[in-house]
Amino acid sequence: MGVLLVDDQALLRMGFRLVLEAEDDIVVVGEAGDGEQGVQQALALRPDVVLMDVRMPGTNGIEATGRIVSALPGCRVVILTTFDLDEYAFAALRAGASGFLLKDARPAELTAAIRTVATGDAVVSPRVTRRLLELFAGDLPARGDAPRAADGVDPRLTALTPRELEVLTAVAEGLSNAEIAGRFVLSEATVKTHVGRILGKLDLRDRVQAVVLAYESGLVGRD
């Protein structure tokens, strides 16, 4: 799979390149030193995954992420950040990134993250998901603010089966597929199928967007 590196620090890009080029299934197709160049490189090279620094001069990672995922829906963006609770990183998730990694992540974590998002999943640990949502809950509408059908249910959720609603709730609570399988006595393959159907029915890109929708709709509370 092809990976584009976007970071204003050349030494970091070099380090990431060395790690990634040691993998048989990953090719670094290009580098960019700022967000604008990253967007142009992404449009020209059409990588499978973009590793995107969130804090850069000029066009930052948030704006660049939004432009890339809008123009290239099949391209996944992983945000690189120094802080595990970075409001810029959270904003990039809302803009369409499929997850984020700390810049000091171990090589195995980096390569695993790239492979994960390339398959259409997201890279945000349950711990970080919960902490992000707690910290930035004010950015989400309160339970009563989202539109409701006559029965009080958010209309976006009416297409889901009862089991899919249970799985979506568990995803929003930060559970992994294995943990969801254990809770509902299902196989991981069945959970993955449920998650895929949920994303398809709700027209969501990945689990990150599913978590946000679950909170916006009031399916999961924040208190």
Side-chain angles (χ1 to χ4, degrees):
M1 71 195 74
V3 177
L4 172 65
L5 306 177
V6 184
D7 195 299
D8 61 344
Q9 299 183 52
L11 284 177
L12 274 177
R13 296 201 308 270
M14 180 185 300
F16 289 133
R17 178 181 281 275
L18 289 174
V19 169
L20 298 179
E21 289 188 338
E23 302 297 313
D24 293 335
D25 60 335
I26 298 176
V27 177
V28 176
V29 297
E31 297 184 19
D34 59 59
E36 183 62 37
Q37 186 182 10
V39 172
Q40 299 309 315
Q41 288 276 68
L43 294 176
L45 300 172
R46 295 182 173 268
D48 299 295
V49 177
V50 178
L51 288 183
M52 175 78 71
D53 185 15
V54 70
R55 296 171 182 262
M56 293 179 289
T59 301
N60 62 32
I62 302 168
E63 180 183 345
T65 293
R67 290 168 60 185
I68 289 172
V69 299
S70 176
L72 303 171
C75 180
R76 306 293 174 176
V77 178
V78 176
I79 292 296
L80 298 168
T81 181
T82 306
F83 311 104
D84 64 352
L85 282 177
D86 185 340
E87 68 175 292
Y88 284 87
F90 180 76
L93 295 179
R94 295 294 296 267
S98 293
F100 72 86
L101 283 175
L102 295 179
K103 288 188 175 183
D104 61 358
R106 293 171 299 185
E109 293 175 327
L110 176 64
T111 55
I114 289 172
R115 293 187 180 102
T116 297
V117 299
T119 64
D121 210 338
V123 181
V124 182
S125 73
R127 177 186 65 85
V128 171
T129 297
R130 285 190 289 266
R131 290 177 67 190
L132 282 169
L133 288 167
E134 288 167 4
L135 186 61
F136 298 105
D139 293 340
L140 301 176
R143 279 176 177 264
D145 292 344
R148 292 288 187 270
D151 57 3
V153 177
D154 188 302
R156 293 174 291 182
L157 302 179
T158 56
L160 302 185
T161 67
R163 174 62 82 189
E164 288 167 351
L165 284 170
E166 291 176 337
V167 171
L168 176 57
T169 300
V171 168
E173 291 172 358
L175 272 63
S176 66
N177 282 358
E179 291 168 332
I180 296 171
R183 172 181 288 187
F184 299 121
V185 195
L186 301 170
S187 70
E188 286 192 53
T190 298
V191 172
K192 187 173 182 178
T193 297
H194 282 311
V195 172
R197 288 175 177 165
I198 290 167
L199 298 181
K201 288 182 177 181
L202 299 178
D203 193 27
L204 302 174
R205 182 180 298 104
D206 52 39
R207 294 169 85 99
V208 172
Q209 291 191 334
V211 170
V212 171
L213 185 144
Y215 275 76
E216 288 178 338
S217 68
L219 181 65
V220 176
R222 298 191 295 272
D223 36 325

